[in-house]
Amino acid sequence: MENDSTFVAPEGVYSVTEEHKHSLLGVHTVNTAPVQYPTLIRTATVRFGTSKAANSQVLSQLLGGNREKDRKERVLSAKDQRDDGLSVSSSETPDDVPSTEPSTSPDAVPSPLMPHDQLNTIFSQSPAQPGKKKSMSRPKHNMRTTSSTFITRLQNVDNLTRNLQAKQGETTFLFYNSGKSYIWAEVGSKSKDPLAKIYFSAYPTCHDVNTTTVSSDKIDVIIGFNTGDILWFDPISSRYGRINKQGRISSSPCSTVRWVPSSPNLFLVAHADGTMVLYDKEREDGTFVPKEPIAVEPLTRVMNGTESAGSQDGVWNPLDSIFVTMPPWHPAAIASPHPGSKEKDKTPKNPVSHWRVSNKRIVDFVFSPDVKYVAAISEDGCLRIIDAIAEQLVDCYSSYFGALTCVAWSPDGRYILTGGQDDLLTVYSPWDQRVIARCQGHSSFVAAAAFDDIRCDGRTYRFGSVGEDNKLILWDFSSGALHRPKATHNQRLSMTSSLSLARRRGESTLYLGIPGADTTVPRFHPAPARNEVAVLQPVLVKALDGELTTDIEFFSRGILTATKLGLVRMWIRPLSAHPRHLKGRSHHTGRIFVDPDFIG
């Protein structure tokens, strides 16, 4: 029953139902250089509403009368809305009606997300000005009429605007990079042509879609390039904005970019020089020069060029701390102004904050489901847990061998998954500060890994991986079925920093350490030996033909895989599959959208 286009998992048969392949026909010569950066995929599910006006007209025709009365009632209703100050403009949908509630209200962002209104932190929100309503922000420049040499060509499908306006119900869009091109396509469409192709003079290296702001009117996409440039792009309006233009803030290639979950504006970028930079899509680039790292104890923050915490002469140790440079407009810098600082220096600009995390390239990172922490991996073979609110390193774990290549956080926040050049996937428990299991199945470097939200229920966790051995592997992990590591290993890892996740569970996210406490205990945890960690075997191994596979993503309908040269396949889920996802958990992580009606 199994062939090149199908595989049999424990829950049933997955089969390829569609393929997306970027064609090089018609591409400018500048775009035909050899592919240097792998194809990465992102999806976004958009809910298109039914036209109320159309339904009203149809109903009126069926009833055969009272059309004039209905029209007058609609006019009066619109007048009442204006009197109440809640009218809907022609550029807004009902979902965009201005509200006096914060943007992170429970209705907009379900639990367990934390609101990003912490006092004097990078997630602090500027207070709204009285009498002003927040409008839906869009990028400034029109891509169709731009004279920029950075964007060499835009190719939209015919009648794109009309087709989008005619859509109803839910539609899943696919975004992926290939060479110097960026492609926007529709999953499950009868047409094989992409909705849009954009050609650049630089290589797109990473990208992400903001699932917090996604709507039928706009989709916020952020794209990072090998030049360090960042592009904020709305494919529906074909408008864009440039951030870190010509490497003004960082000229190092972008390796990973992710929107901060639940935030409409903030996104975090990892660079190849070992830094991570937080940006705001609506801010202009400021004049900013990061400070060179020095030895820190336990943390050095540089505000306006002055160190704000204890430091000493020596060499900065990236295994024990991160080095934070806060620009003058950083919320903490404004709260504790440096003598001589000028008021104009406090005007919010980019970057929001700057972290030096490693001396090696940051390969990938991911936010925890509660958005309090960041798990970052680098070519130095370390997994770092960073407190994103306090901007501090919490723990640092070494790989078994070589560099780490991918990272994912489980939907409930209990486990972190990494893949690496040791051909292994490793499951960590950040709260217990130990390695739970190593997964053996790949015979070459692991390229990408992701959790399947629909098949994670808090007891069993499904995740998938692809590697340079061209294997697609599915795994089912259950902590109860694994043997715990030896007691000696637990005792060794129990000596941990006072800033550890285990110590900080239930404490304030603004916790900066216990005065007088011993902070000299290293945060670095070496890799345990093979006989100290349980081994997990795969539930399915599928050998894929063709080009090297570079990415994997789970979504409501199935699995998406991508190859280095831009071939994207959709593997449809078995019809009998039923969701096992955690009840009450918000599916906000951006890479997965659960559609229970589709799964049944």
Side-chain angles (χ1 to χ4, degrees):
M1 184 177 182
E2 188 168 320
N3 54 47
D4 291 342
S5 300
T6 62
F7 64 81
V8 182
E11 64 271 18
V13 179
Y14 287 75
S15 58
V16 175
T17 57
E18 62 181 87
E19 294 183 346
H20 298 265
K21 175 65 176 178
H22 172 53
S23 174
L24 294 178
L25 294 177
V27 180
H28 296 308
T29 304
V30 71
N31 294 301
T32 59
V35 175
Q36 300 181 19
Y37 298 93
T39 297
L40 302 177
I41 49 181
R42 294 292 187 271
T43 59
T45 298
V46 178
R47 182 175 288 106
F48 290 88
T50 305
S51 173
K52 295 181 179 180
N55 289 344
S56 177
Q57 291 177 2
V58 172
L59 181 61
S60 179
Q61 291 176 359
L62 291 175
L63 295 178
N66 296 328
R67 282 193 286 266
E68 185 63 23
K69 180 180 179 181
D70 291 342
R71 187 187 66 81
K72 291 181 179 180
E73 289 179 351
R74 287 196 297 272
V75 172
L76 291 174
S77 177
K79 182 179 183 300
D80 292 340
Q81 287 182 339
R82 287 194 298 272
D83 293 340
D84 292 338
L86 295 175
S87 61
V88 182
S89 70
S90 59
S91 63
E92 294 175 325
T93 64
D95 292 338
D96 298 318
V97 177
S99 171
T100 58
E101 296 296 324
S103 61
T104 53
S105 64
D107 292 338
V109 183
S111 178
L113 277 180
M114 50 152 267
H116 290 151
D117 55 1
Q118 304 292 334
L119 182 61
N120 299 333
T121 73
I122 55 176
F123 295 135
S124 301
Q125 298 290 340
S126 302
Q129 298 182 10
K132 289 191 176 182
K133 301 175 183 177
K134 186 175 178 62
S135 59
M136 184 170 58
S137 61
R138 295 188 186 275
K140 295 181 180 179
H141 308 293
N142 191 328
M143 192 171 287
R144 290 186 290 262
T145 59
T146 184
S147 58
S148 171
T149 57
F150 189 77
I151 302 169
T152 60
R153 185 182 177 190
L154 169 65
Q155 180 180 342
N156 282 334
V157 71
D158 293 339
N159 301 319
L160 174 61
T161 302
R162 184 186 307 172
N163 292 339
L164 292 176
Q165 291 175 347
K167 288 186 178 297
Q168 298 183 10
E170 291 181 349
T171 299
T172 299
F173 292 122
L174 167 68
F175 301 87
Y176 63 99
N177 61 295
S178 179
K180 291 187 176 181
S181 305
Y182 191 73
I183 297 95
W184 173 34
E186 180 181 345
V187 175
S189 173
K190 295 180 181 179
S191 173
K192 299 302 180 182
D193 295 328
L195 299 176
K197 292 182 185 178
I198 314 166
Y199 302 101
F200 299 98
S201 59
Y203 286 96
T205 58
C206 52
H207 56 100
D208 197 24
V209 182
N210 193 334
T211 58
T212 299
T213 61
V214 67
S215 69
S216 58
D217 289 331
K218 74 164 186 172
I219 302 175
D220 286 321
V221 178
I222 207 78
I223 309 172
F225 293 84
N226 66 316
T227 57
D229 291 80
I230 301 166
L231 191 83
W232 169 31
F233 171 52
D234 175 16
I236 292 183
S237 64
S238 296
R239 303 190 70 84
Y240 76 98
R242 295 275 299 277
I243 302 169
N244 190 32
K245 187 175 181 179
Q246 297 178 341
R248 180 175 183 179
I249 297 170
S250 175
S251 59
S252 177
C254 300
S255 56
T256 305
V257 58
R258 294 189 189 275
W259 291 96
V260 176
S262 83
S263 174
N265 295 337
L266 298 177
F267 61 92
L268 187 62
V269 181
H271 291 276
D273 61 357
T275 61
M276 301 179 71
V277 185
L278 186 68
Y279 295 92
D280 188 313
K281 67 178 174 64
E282 296 184 354
R283 295 186 184 183
E284 300 292 333
D285 292 343
T287 302
F288 174 80
V289 179
K291 301 298 180 180
E292 289 299 319
I294 56 177
V296 292
E297 183 190 356
L299 170 73
T300 293
R301 290 184 170 200
V302 178
M303 297 188 296
N304 304 326
T306 300
E307 299 164 22
S308 62
S311 65
Q312 59 188 18
D313 294 335
V315 179
W316 167 63
N317 182 7
L319 303 180
D320 195 53
S321 64
I322 64 173
F323 190 85
V324 182
T325 303
M326 295 189 293
W329 47 83
H330 189 288
I334 295 176
S336 302
H338 180 260
S341 61
K342 300 179 180 179
E343 193 66 29
K344 65 179 182 178
D345 294 336
K346 299 178 182 179
T347 303
K349 298 178 183 178
N350 279 319
V352 179
S353 191
H354 182 282
W355 307 343
R356 178 163 290 280
V357 177
S358 173
N359 289 323
K360 299 289 186 178
R361 172 175 173 260
I362 304 295
V363 178
D364 195 6
F365 70 87
V366 65
F367 284 93
S368 63
D370 62 5
V371 205
K372 295 178 182 178
Y373 302 98
V374 171
I377 59 172
S378 65
E379 288 183 346
D380 62 7
C382 289
L383 163 68
R384 291 173 172 84
I385 312 298
I386 300 171
D387 185 326
I389 305 297
E391 300 182 87
Q392 301 180 60
L393 179 67
V394 176
D395 283 300
C396 180
Y397 300 89
S398 176
S399 67
Y400 185 76
F401 172 80
L404 294 174
T405 55
C406 55
V407 63
W409 209 311
S410 69
D412 57 3
R414 293 178 61 189
Y415 302 106
I416 297 175
L417 176 69
T418 64
Q421 294 180 348
D422 51 13
D423 305 346
L424 298 172
L425 284 98
T426 305
V427 182
Y428 299 84
S429 173
W431 298 108
D432 296 330
Q433 292 184 287
R434 65 187 182 95
V435 175
I436 298 295
R438 291 191 176 111
C439 311
Q440 295 182 351
H442 284 286
S443 55
S444 188
F445 296 173
V446 180
F451 281 91
D452 184 354
D453 253 17
I454 291 181
R455 302 197 64 80
C456 293
D457 59 8
R459 296 181 301 275
T460 302
Y461 300 80
R462 163 66 60 81
F463 54 90
S465 60
V466 293
E468 293 188 6
D469 53 7
N470 252 19
K471 291 179 182 176
L472 165 61
I473 301 182
L474 299 182
W475 315 78
D476 282 341
F477 165 73
S478 176
S479 59
L482 297 174
H483 297 291
R484 294 181 64 85
K486 293 182 178 181
T488 56
H489 179 55
N490 285 336
Q491 292 171 1
R492 174 160 60 91
L493 287 188
S494 65
M495 296 180 60
T496 178
S497 163
S498 61
L499 292 175
S500 69
L501 284 176
R503 286 286 301 273
R504 299 176 63 179
R505 185 186 301 182
E507 296 180 3
S508 168
T509 58
L510 295 178
Y511 172 86
L512 294 176
I514 303 173
D518 180 16
T519 59
T520 61
V521 178
R523 297 171 178 83
F524 178 73
H525 307 293
R530 278 184 176 270
N531 61 355
E532 293 179 330
V533 179
V535 176
L536 184 67
Q537 298 296 331
V539 298
L540 174 126
V541 179
K542 172 65 176 177
L544 303 176
D545 58 341
E547 309 157 359
L548 288 179
T549 308
T550 57
D551 203 8
I552 181 173
E553 177 171 337
F554 292 92
F555 74 121
S556 61
R557 299 184 185 182
I559 305 173
L560 290 169
T561 59
T563 67
K564 186 173 183 177
L565 296 181
L567 173 62
V568 179
R569 290 174 174 171
M570 186 180 82
W571 306 78
I572 197 74
R573 291 184 187 272
L575 295 178
S576 59
H578 294 280
R580 289 192 320 210
H581 54 77
L582 298 168
K583 294 182 178 179
R585 198 188 75 80
S586 62
H587 305 282
H588 63 275
T589 54
R591 303 206 52 176
I592 303 162
F593 185 94
V594 176
D595 183 1
D597 295 333
F598 180 87
I599 302 299

